[in-house]
Amino acid sequence: MKKFILLVAITVFSVAASNAQTKKATKKEPVKAETPKVDGAGMLFENETIDYGTVPHNSDGKREFVFVNNGNKPLIIESTQGSCGCTVPTKPEKPIQPGERGVIGVKYDTSRGGQPFTKTVTVKSNATGQETKVLTIKGNVLAAPPADGTAPTKS
C-alpha cells in the first residue's frame, strides 16, 4: 500500500511540475500584411471601389480613394477622368514619394437622384505595370422631394 501511495504522490508531483514549466502565453502582435514592393513607381489602393450606399438627394458626394506608392521611385499621377460629367475626380499635384500615401478625390453629383449608379474614374500614372487604373464608385441617390414640400407617397 505504501508503494501505491508513493506512486500516486510522485505522479501528482510530476504532473504539477510539468504544468508549472509551461511557457506563459505572450501577447502576439497582429500580423500586418506586407505591402508588396515594386521596382519603379507603384500605386496600391486601400479600396478600388467606393460604395456610397443610399444617400439623400443633394447630399455631400465627396469621397476619397487612398493609395500608397509601394515602389522605389516617385509616383506621378498624370490625369484622372470620370466616366461622365456627374463624376469629377481630383488628383495630387505633387509626385508621391516611395512609401507615402496619396489621395484621389471624387465628387459625384447627388442632384441626379432616384436610381442606383455605378461610375468609374480612370487614373493615368507612371506606375510600373499599371499605367492606367480604373476605380469604381457606386450607390443610390434618393429621389428629390416633391417641389410643394409634401412627403412623397408610397404606391
Side-chain angles (χ1 to χ4, degrees):
M1 183 72 168
K2 288 181 183 178
K3 289 183 181 179
F4 179 73
I5 293 174
L6 182 62
L7 182 63
V8 170
I10 290 174
T11 305
V12 168
F13 178 77
S14 297
V15 169
S18 67
N19 284 340
Q21 296 299 319
T22 58
K23 199 175 190 181
K24 288 185 179 179
T26 59
K27 185 177 180 183
K28 292 184 178 180
E29 293 296 319
V31 178
K32 293 182 181 177
E34 285 292 318
T35 303
K37 299 295 180 188
V38 175
D39 187 24
M43 186 168 48
L44 181 65
F45 284 88
E46 287 180 0
N47 291 309
E48 294 180 14
T49 300
I50 293 177
D51 188 351
Y52 281 60
T54 300
V55 295
H57 185 261
N58 282 333
S59 63
D60 182 15
K62 293 180 184 176
R63 301 292 188 274
E64 295 180 334
F65 288 100
V66 179
F67 63 93
V68 65
N69 178 354
N70 62 332
N72 57 10
K73 294 185 179 170
L75 172 68
I76 299 169
I77 306 295
E78 296 164 8
S79 67
T80 54
Q81 179 69 45
S83 57
C84 73
C86 59
T87 307
V88 181
T90 58
K91 68 179 186 72
E93 294 303 319
K94 296 181 191 175
I96 308 301
Q97 298 303 316
E100 286 185 356
R101 293 189 175 278
V103 172
I104 294 177
V106 63
K107 181 170 182 354
Y108 180 74
D109 182 3
T110 59
S111 68
R112 303 171 185 220
Q115 60 186 359
F117 67 90
T118 300
K119 304 294 178 186
T120 60
V121 173
T122 303
V123 179
K124 292 188 180 181
S125 70
N126 68 332
T128 303
Q130 60 176 1
E131 291 79 13
T132 301
K133 183 72 171 176
V134 179
L135 307 171
T136 304
I137 61 170
K138 63 182 182 176
N140 184 27
V141 179
L142 296 174
D148 63 5
T150 60
T153 58
K154 291 185 179 180
S155 314

